[in-house]
Amino acid sequence: QVQLVESGGGLVQAGGSLTLSCAASGRISNYAMGWFRQTPGKEREFVAAISWSGGSTHYADSVKGRFTISRGNAKNTVYLRLNSLKPEDTAVYYCAARVGIPSSYEYDYWGQGTQVTVSP
């Protein structure tokens, strides 16, 4: 069993930055990690993913060049750095974990989410 806890969300002005963290506990060896986001009335949207080693990363086109996913040395913490934030980035951001390679849609475990609100 894997538990995921996100933190770091908040209110920021457009153009600002935030760093989200996801702390994973349990047996996470060889788990890829991902970040997704969701706004009311919309489906959950893939944001970024990273391999177990941290050597492979993937991004949605909408965040490429603005967001950076990374993994701590101990591999059990994943970060999402959000730069140049836009009001349309406002959403609940979720951390997710899966065995194997990174994916944009199929994950086994999910966190509870952290709210990011970007004001104009």
Side-chain angles (χ1 to χ4, degrees):
Q1 192 73 7
V2 173
Q3 294 81 41
L4 304 172
V5 178
E6 303 96 333
S7 62
L11 173 64
V12 63
Q13 288 188 328
S17 299
L18 280 175
T19 298
L20 307 183
S21 300
C22 174
S25 60
R27 303 184 69 172
I28 61 165
S29 179
N30 294 319
Y31 273 72
M33 305 287 288
W35 284 96
F36 290 74
R37 65 187 182 186
Q38 189 171 23
T39 55
K42 292 188 177 182
E43 290 188 358
R44 196 170 291 184
E45 173 190 22
F46 169 74
V47 175
I50 189 167
S51 62
W52 164 250
S53 69
S56 176
T57 58
H58 307 270
Y59 296 93
D61 288 342
S62 59
V63 307
K64 204 171 290 184
R66 298 189 299 124
F67 293 5
T68 302
I69 189 170
S70 61
R71 199 154 192 161
N73 290 336
K75 301 289 193 290
N76 63 341
T77 303
V78 175
Y79 305 96
L80 186 68
R81 176 66 175 178
L82 293 68
N83 291 330
S84 302
L85 281 162
K86 306 174 182 179
E88 51 263 43
D89 293 319
T90 295
V92 177
Y93 284 71
Y94 296 90
C95 176
R98 70 185 301 270
V99 175
I101 61 174
S103 170
S104 62
Y105 61 94
E106 197 171 284
Y107 282 77
D108 302 308
Y109 299 98
W110 295 86
Q112 294 300 305
T114 185
Q115 176 72 45
V116 172
T117 303
V118 184
S119 63

